[in-house]
Amino acid sequence: MEKKKLVIAGCGKLGNIVADAVVGGLLDGYELVGAYSRSREKAEALALKVNERNGHCMVADTFDQLLDMKPDFLVEAASPAAMREWALPALGNGTSVVTLSIGAFADDAFYEEAGRVASENGAHVYIVSGATGGFDVLQTTALMGGAKAEFFNEKGPDALRGTAVYDESLQKERKTVFTGSAKEAIRVFPTKVNVTVAASRASVGPENMNVTMVSTPGFKGDTQRVEIRNPQVHAVVDVYSATAEIAGWSVVNTLRNISSPIVFV
């Protein structure tokens, strides 16, 4: 069977998890043909380890060069801002997008436009579960009708440095630092709550998903808890992750599912 052509945009830790999966034989249905990053050095390092194992991964100087390789799939592992810039050109190219930066889809107009362009060009957008999960039960419960959902996130104060909510008192006292909708949350934390938008898109929508974020002194990692209920179902998906690596591995799992004759949904 002919392998699908895969490219990676965003060559940090998460993008490298996908590259390592290719090198390690976990993604046999794909050939990693291109890499692009704002830092060329990172793209070169990723491509080098692929090519050392008899791969043929080229480094693109621009995102347009990456699309010129005519890939079947693009793994986006950069940022919501990059996703907004790259998604429509990729989908218009007939390239399906596997994205970690779901926060870009808090914008209804962009979400709908991405769906339209994908449909017109035979492509798809795959929204991976990242550091949460349970999209199947979220979608099913919402489809049944009458659903309400909420999201809880716990972080350590150091993870909030550089955001509008951070102050030194968080180092000593547990505080609720945000309550609001998923759409509001991604505005306050542009790179830190992609999973809230993903869970909301799988269920009740970004404006209807209530999000609470708590900062706990000394806490490491992330707790992500999504709860949904309708008159017949009450489901809780509770995930703790010590690092962000689960997000990269969720991309690997999604790619494996796409190419598998037996699919878990």
Side-chain angles (χ1 to χ4, degrees):
M1 185 173 65
E2 185 177 354
K3 292 188 175 184
K4 298 293 186 180
K5 294 169 67 176
L6 176 69
V7 295
I8 295 175
C11 299
K13 187 172 185 177
L14 301 183
N16 272 272
I17 287 174
V18 179
D20 289 341
V22 173
V23 170
L26 293 176
L27 293 171
D28 285 338
Y30 302 87
E31 180 184 6
L32 182 52
V33 299
Y36 171 70
S37 182
R38 303 293 191 190
S39 164
R40 182 179 172 86
E41 291 77 14
K42 289 183 178 181
E44 288 174 343
L46 185 150
L48 178 61
K49 68 179 172 183
V50 174
N51 295 337
E52 285 177 341
R53 295 290 295 271
N54 299 317
H56 298 88
C57 182
M58 298 179 62
V59 175
D61 289 314
T62 66
F63 186 73
D64 286 343
Q65 284 185 5
L66 197 67
L67 294 186
D68 286 343
M69 299 176 192
K70 296 299 179 183
D72 298 294
F73 293 92
L74 162 72
V75 169
E76 178 280 319
S79 68
M83 178 62 180
R84 288 186 65 89
E85 179 182 344
W86 296 339
L88 299 183
L91 296 169
N93 194 54
T95 299
S96 291
V97 179
V98 183
T99 179
L100 282 165
S101 300
I102 305 101
F105 287 141
D107 182 331
D108 289 339
F110 179 66
Y111 181 70
E112 292 169 6
E113 179 72 356
R116 182 188 65 79
V117 175
S119 178
E120 290 177 352
N121 292 278
H124 295 84
V125 177
Y126 294 93
I127 297 177
V128 302
S129 58
T132 184
F135 286 0
D136 53 348
V137 73
L138 292 178
Q139 287 182 306
T140 302
T141 304
L143 186 63
M144 292 168 70
K148 295 182 179 180
E150 55 187 2
F151 200 105
F152 171 82
N153 175 221
E154 182 178 20
K155 298 181 184 295
D158 289 344
L160 297 171
R161 289 184 184 274
T163 71
V165 303
Y166 181 79
D167 65 61
E168 288 298 323
S169 69
L170 297 181
Q171 298 291 347
K172 298 180 179 180
E173 183 181 352
R174 190 174 193 263
K175 289 184 178 180
T176 297
V177 295
F178 176 84
T179 57
S181 69
K183 190 167 188 175
E184 292 166 336
I186 198 68
R187 291 174 184 158
V188 178
F189 310 101
T191 62
K192 297 183 182 295
V193 292
N194 282 287
V195 289
T196 66
V197 176
S200 72
R201 281 298 179 196
S203 56
V204 297
E207 293 185 350
N208 296 318
M209 171 75 80
N210 186 62
V211 176
T212 300
M213 181 187 289
V214 170
S215 172
T216 300
F219 186 82
K220 304 296 182 183
D222 268 283
T223 293
Q224 319 276 5
R225 182 182 306 122
V226 60
E227 185 169 3
I228 188 167
R229 65 177 73 224
N230 67 24
Q232 299 180 66
V233 176
H234 177 205
V236 180
V237 181
D238 198 342
V239 179
Y240 168 77
S241 52
T243 72
E245 287 192 14
I246 190 174
W249 282 105
S250 71
V251 172
V252 176
N253 185 59
T254 297
L255 289 168
R256 284 169 61 88
N257 233 359
I258 291 169
S259 63
S260 175
I262 299 176
V263 180
F264 291 87
V265 295

